[in-house]
Amino acid sequence: MNIKNTVIAISLVTSSLVMGSSSVYADWPTKDIHLVVPYSAGGNTDILSREVAHLLQKELDVNVIVENRPGAGSTVATGRLARGGRNADHTILMASPGHVIGASIYPNLPYNAVSDFKFITKLLDAPNIMVVPSSSPYNTVAEFIAAAKSKPMTFSHPGVGSSVHMSGELFKTLTKTKLTAVPFPGSGAALPALLSGDVDVSFENASTVLPYIQSGGLKALAVTSKTRFKALPNVPTVIETEGYDLSGFVTTVWNGVIAGNAFPDEGVEVLQAALQRVKESEEFNAFIDKMGAEASPLSGEEFKSFISSEVIRWKMVAEEAGVRQS
Amino acid sequence: MENFSEVLSLFFVWDNFIAIAIGVFLGVVIGAIPGLTTTMAVALALPFTFSMAPVSAILLLVGIYKGGMYGGSITAILIRTPGTPASACTLLDGYPMAQNGEAKKALKMSLYSSVIADFISNISLIFFAAYLAKIALNFGAPEFFWLICFSLTIIVSLSGSSVLKGFLAAALGLMISLVGLDPVYGSQRLTFNDYNLMDGISFVPLLIGLFAIPEVIDFYQRKVVSKTVINASGKEISWSEFKRCIKTIVRGSFIGVIIGAIPGSGATAAAFISYSEARRKSPNRENFGKGEIEGVAAAEAGNNGVAGATMIPLLSLGIPGDVVTAIILGAFMIHGLTPGPLMFQNNLSIIYALFLGIMVSSLFLLVVGLGAIKYFSKIADVPKEILFPIIVMFCVYGAYAVNNNTFDIWLMMGFGVLGYIFNKTGIASAPFLIGFILGPMFEDNLRRSLLIGNYDMSIFFRGPITWFFITLTLGSILFSFKRWLSYRNK
């Protein structure tokens, strides 16, 4: 009897251990979640992250702590995420175009932008807008391209490797024009040069230039998204330009939540469900509406394949533009 | 004005006064802690303003901004650790004053100068916004280039005993500022393939290392308490001293206003330009850097003059001049307001209510500042054996906190050693800083001008603003040369 009891006891203990180990993450999250922002406090990605943290906190009933880890165009924080380490099972990161552009500019990154991460969900998309000063003689993309083919022209951008910069380079490549990139330290510094006509064009984020388009300081020639932008229904997309094949010209600013490979699948599922509810919430949509953005339907695998195709595309553009490091 | 009653009803609510008080208080405290920057504080406060009325929300953020601009000078003066980058210039004379037992005097002068500059900056915002905004729009890369050229002539006047050593230090600062990615091509410069260096050398670890650490090393090396660093019960500012500084304060304030109105320039540059102008004009020229009260007044007037003026491009053009105003712009947007010309048409009462609040914030700065001096100067009573380890802890924390990166701690230590070598060899750290701050601006604007002008040099002489700064630059060089000649002939 004793032996039998012992066997039962042992088997109970082991089975509970086995079951326990397989369900360590069954009730994820078990502690506070860290949401890493790979940029300094104050930017668009940071402001969005703080709102998302606030909404996610309500959904999951744990604290969501926003942590700023800026450096090298988001690659410092992303590298840390890929390495895993302590707390990796409760750490997520707010990714942006910097994730794919970084991968296309720096060849020696200590991580692979696709295979080293789990892609939880893409939160939003916002178009860039092709704007010219109000004093500019060009009123359509076609007119602008024709002029830029005959004389050297300039476009402003808020930093090498920004989505605004890469959009300009992509435009230059596709239209075979003589555009020169002029860098500024941030959009705030770039705007006066655009308003005064020191530079000829820019492919700025919608949230930055919308007020100037409305006040008449800037003219919107086109939006860079696949479909027209609801805030500017009369402005065509770049793709619509007649006489040129610009079908490859779709660039959006996006944000999405990713995690390292050490992050548990249970956590991915919990977060996907919670963030889906956030994306559908009125509060979130009202918030991103003010940023000129729309909620994105992509999640999981779809998000991942979006990232892989973006990495390939920007790598090509970066090489063509000569901004890829060797 | 028909909207007058509306303005008053928007402004005279308790919430606004509470928002300003909390904002200024938080700003001063956070500004005084090395490594916690005003930008960080404003960004963290932003989500709390979502549920507030628009005027209170903006005033809270503006209060933090203004408080922080002043708060940085407290630790700069007391423990030679600038709380914010903009206060680095204040310690050049503030800390020597504290060592001479005039800490209270330095702190008070810094406060009065800050408040006066803040007030002048606000008045400029209210009355000259439209005019200054126009100048700002005409201030392109070539104009900026000449402004920086003029500012670089400061190096000569801040070099201390030896101009050669000054140039050496400036060149070293310039070289260190080159670390990071090339601004045009994005290629790596002096990064040794280390990702920590991709974004360049962070300003805060550099400042803390350069100024605070050498003092600590020096203390442990000598192991003797030589001077009472701080004497909290020291003398007050006399009326004659204050009168002597008024001209400097007003001049510095206007330098701050003009620099602040131009997007993308910054308070640190304004403080240094104001300081060097004060030194150039002062009869006590030789005393600068050794504890000259006018130096403290000039530096603080320069950086606080910027605070109100950065609201000029923001409100009149909708262009944020620095990161903090970019966050404030975000706060406007979240409340459904769009700064810019349209706001003056559609929401004039809100703008006037904001102006009233901004004026009141100057007053609050004075009150909170006086309180802060009273409590912060208690640091004076802490024995050095206890104080210095605490300073080291703050140095390490401050260096780490900016980017949450341990690499910055090593960087800070490295610059500490460099600062110590500077002290021992009599090399002034001011030219090093100027090279580090202005060097990248010089390069950026030079290259940007060339790109915009398609490499045609005539862009550098394109209008009255460029000629104005060319004249100033040449004048400044000539002036220094003349002084050097007369000095040599003595």
Side-chain angles (χ1 to χ4, degrees):
Chain A
M1 281 302 271
N2 271 345
I3 293 173
K4 199 178 167 190
N5 277 347
T6 316
V7 170
I8 291 172
I10 289 174
S11 59
L12 271 176
V13 169
T14 31
S15 65
S16 71
L17 275 177
V18 170
M19 274 172 66
S21 69
S22 70
S23 62
V24 165
Y25 294 114
D27 44 2
W28 193 97
T30 50
K31 53 185 176 181
D32 292 349
I33 300 172
H34 288 253
L35 172 57
V36 178
V37 178
Y39 299 100
S40 324
N44 270 345
T45 302
D46 177 66
I47 292 173
L48 170 78
S49 302
R50 289 178 196 281
E51 177 69 10
V52 170
H54 161 73
L55 294 172
L56 200 55
Q57 208 156 303
K58 279 203 268 184
E59 290 290 336
L60 295 177
D61 215 24
V62 287
N63 289 323
V64 180
I65 300 159
V66 176
E67 227 177 278
N68 297 87
R69 283 189 182 277
S74 85
T75 56
V76 169
T78 314
R80 273 178 79 115
L81 189 76
R83 279 203 302 276
R86 205 169 59 87
N87 236 344
D89 54 349
H90 280 77
T91 304
I92 51 180
L93 182 138
M94 185 63 81
S96 66
H99 184 77
V100 287
I101 295 175
S104 51
I105 292 184
Y106 312 123
N108 302 323
L109 281 185
Y111 59 84
N112 182 300
V114 182
S115 62
D116 282 341
F117 301 95
K118 290 186 177 173
F119 295 89
I120 297 168
T121 198
K122 189 166 163 230
L123 292 168
L124 59 85
D125 282 298
N128 286 339
I129 302 183
M130 182 178 176
V131 281
V132 293
S134 57
S135 57
S136 169
Y138 317 112
N139 293 308
T140 65
V141 179
E143 279 172 29
F144 184 87
I145 297 174
K149 275 181 187 285
S150 59
K151 62 171 182 177
M153 287 169 98
T154 53
F155 74 93
S156 62
H157 67 78
V160 173
S162 60
S163 81
V164 177
H165 175 207
M166 298 309 275
S167 298
E169 296 290 357
L170 179 63
F171 186 82
K172 180 180 157 184
T173 310
L174 289 178
T175 56
K176 301 187 176 64
T177 43
K178 297 173 190 158
L179 281 179
T180 305
V182 183
F184 287 84
S187 292
L191 273 169
L194 192 61
L195 288 169
S196 67
D198 264 358
V199 292
D200 299 302
V201 68
S202 184
F203 299 83
E204 263 292 352
N205 299 158
S207 59
T208 311
V209 288
L210 260 182
Y212 303 96
I213 296 168
Q214 281 153 358
S215 71
L218 294 174
K219 272 193 285 191
L221 297 190
V223 293
T224 66
S225 45
K226 210 171 200 163
T227 53
R228 290 194 180 197
F229 180 38
K230 66 177 182 206
L232 299 168
N234 297 325
V235 177
T237 62
V238 176
I239 308 172
E240 289 175 48
T241 309
E242 280 175 25
Y244 298 93
D245 178 23
L246 296 175
S247 55
F249 194 87
V250 177
T251 70
T252 56
V253 180
W254 53 268
N255 281 109
V257 178
I258 65 172
N261 275 337
F263 195 80
D265 289 329
E266 289 84 349
V268 173
E269 277 166 34
V270 170
L271 278 177
Q272 269 168 350
L275 287 169
Q276 189 56 38
R277 290 195 294 277
V278 166
K279 278 200 266 185
E280 286 162 10
S281 72
E282 215 168 278
E283 196 178 343
F284 179 74
N285 282 286
F287 184 85
I288 64 169
D289 199 45
K290 285 172 192 156
M291 300 171 72
E294 288 169 35
S296 164
L298 299 191
S299 214
E301 280 304 313
E302 293 167 321
F303 184 19
K304 188 174 181 174
S305 61
F306 164 78
I307 297 284
S308 357
S309 62
E310 285 285 285
V311 169
I312 296 166
R313 179 165 77 139
W314 290 122
K315 206 172 265 177
M316 263 160 49
V317 177
E319 264 163 17
E320 193 98 11
V323 289
R324 184 168 162 76
Q325 313 277 303
S326 52
Chain B
M1 199 175 116
E2 55 188 89
N3 289 339
F4 195 62
S5 60
E6 197 188 337
V7 172
L8 293 184
S9 70
L10 270 173
F11 177 66
F12 282 100
V13 271
W14 277 114
D15 297 15
N16 289 344
F17 290 91
I18 295 170
I20 299 171
I22 293 180
V24 173
F25 176 76
L26 278 179
V28 171
V29 173
I30 288 173
I33 300 173
L36 289 187
T37 60
T38 322
T39 315
M40 221 183 272
V42 174
L44 292 175
L46 183 66
F48 293 98
T49 65
F50 290 170
S51 56
M52 295 163 76
V55 176
S56 322
I58 306 293
L59 287 178
L60 175 77
L61 301 179
V62 171
I64 298 178
Y65 186 26
K66 297 195 160 195
M69 205 63 106
Y70 162 70
S73 72
I74 298 175
T75 34
I77 292 170
L78 289 176
I79 55 175
R80 208 176 189 237
T81 311
T84 55
S87 58
C89 188
T90 311
L91 69 73
L92 296 181
D93 282 286
Y95 187 71
M97 278 183 77
Q99 279 186 313
N100 300 338
E102 295 181 322
K104 197 174 188 180
K105 212 183 244 185
L107 286 169
K108 286 246 164 107
M109 182 41 91
S110 152
L111 177 65
Y112 296 154
S113 173
S114 295
V115 172
I116 295 171
D118 194 47
F119 187 76
I120 291 178
S121 192
N122 294 338
I123 296 278
S124 316
L125 163 67
I126 295 169
F127 292 104
F128 308 118
Y131 184 70
L132 283 166
K134 224 160 127 192
I135 297 185
L137 263 194
N138 287 319
F139 222 92
E143 288 79 14
F144 229 119
F145 171 77
W146 287 113
L147 168 71
I148 303 296
C149 283
F150 168 61
S151 312
L152 280 173
T153 59
I154 297 171
I155 291 174
V156 182
S157 65
L158 293 183
S159 292
S161 53
S162 153
V163 176
L164 181 69
K165 279 182 186 171
F167 275 114
L168 267 177
L172 190 63
L174 199 67
M175 201 181 83
I176 285 175
S177 79
L178 290 179
V179 175
L181 298 182
D182 178 281
V184 177
Y185 299 109
S187 39
Q188 298 181 36
R189 299 195 299 205
L190 306 172
T191 59
F192 308 102
N193 254 328
D194 186 330
Y195 279 83
N196 290 305
L197 292 172
M198 288 281 189
D199 270 353
I201 305 281
S202 302
F203 201 8
V204 173
L206 179 141
L207 279 179
I208 296 178
L210 199 62
F211 290 111
I213 296 294
E215 286 301 297
V216 178
I217 301 178
D218 203 45
F219 171 73
Y220 283 105
Q221 206 180 30
R222 282 185 287 137
K223 283 263 175 144
V224 278
V225 186
S226 56
K227 287 176 193 166
T228 1
V229 169
I230 299 137
N231 190 346
S233 55
K235 271 191 240 151
E236 293 278 341
I237 303 169
S238 71
W239 173 242
S240 67
E241 278 171 320
F242 185 70
K243 225 168 64 183
R244 184 154 67 83
C245 293
I246 281 186
K247 228 170 152 181
T248 301
I249 295 175
V250 174
R251 190 192 310 114
S253 306
F254 280 108
I255 290 174
V257 167
I258 290 170
I259 302 240
I262 304 166
S265 30
T268 316
F272 274 103
I273 294 174
S274 164
Y275 182 84
S276 92
E277 277 307 293
R279 187 182 185 276
R280 203 198 304 261
K281 300 263 159 59
S282 170
N284 299 337
R285 206 172 293 130
E286 303 307 322
N287 198 28
F288 270 69
K290 297 171 192 154
E292 171 57 49
I293 195 162
E294 231 182 305
V296 174
E300 280 301 301
N303 68 34
N304 280 278
V306 167
T310 44
M311 300 292 286
I312 293 173
L314 179 69
L315 287 177
S316 55
L317 303 170
I319 294 170
D322 58 10
V323 189
V324 175
T325 39
I327 304 172
I328 296 178
L329 174 69
F332 272 108
M333 303 277 224
I334 280 158
H335 286 101
L337 299 166
T338 310
L342 286 180
M343 198 173 166
F344 278 84
Q345 283 168 30
N346 304 336
N347 311 92
L348 197 62
S349 345
I350 292 191
I351 290 195
Y352 278 105
L354 278 178
F355 282 168
L356 280 176
I358 288 171
M359 295 298 288
V360 170
S361 71
S362 297
L363 205 70
F364 275 59
L365 181 60
L366 182 66
V367 177
V368 173
L370 284 174
I373 290 177
K374 202 169 149 197
Y375 287 100
F376 271 100
S377 53
K378 294 256 190 285
I379 296 175
D381 306 330
V382 181
K384 274 190 165 184
E385 299 79 27
I386 297 171
L387 183 64
F388 274 104
I390 295 175
I391 292 179
V392 174
M393 190 195 77
F394 264 104
C395 290
V396 171
Y397 166 75
Y400 177 77
V402 182
N403 293 327
N404 289 337
N405 191 347
T406 39
F407 177 79
D408 285 341
I409 299 175
W410 297 111
L411 210 58
M412 183 269 294
M413 296 289 186
F415 282 108
V417 173
L418 184 72
Y420 181 73
I421 296 171
F422 275 8
N423 281 0
K424 286 286 155 195
T425 50
I427 296 175
S429 17
F432 175 81
L433 269 188
I434 305 264
F436 183 77
I437 298 165
L438 297 183
M441 292 167 102
F442 178 85
E443 184 203 349
D444 277 6
N445 287 291
L446 174 66
R447 295 177 71 180
R448 200 173 295 139
S449 305
L450 290 170
L451 287 170
I452 289 172
N454 201 21
Y455 292 90
D456 181 352
M457 292 295 162
S458 63
I459 195 166
F460 289 107
F461 311 98
R462 68 174 181 182
I465 304 181
T466 52
W467 283 112
F468 175 73
F469 283 107
I470 291 171
T471 318
L472 277 185
T473 310
L474 291 177
S476 169
I477 295 173
L478 257 169
F479 176 82
S480 307
F481 188 67
K482 243 177 75 187
R483 269 216 2 240
W484 177 73
L485 273 183
S486 66
Y487 184 78
R488 211 186 53 167
N489 293 339
K490 251 187 224 171

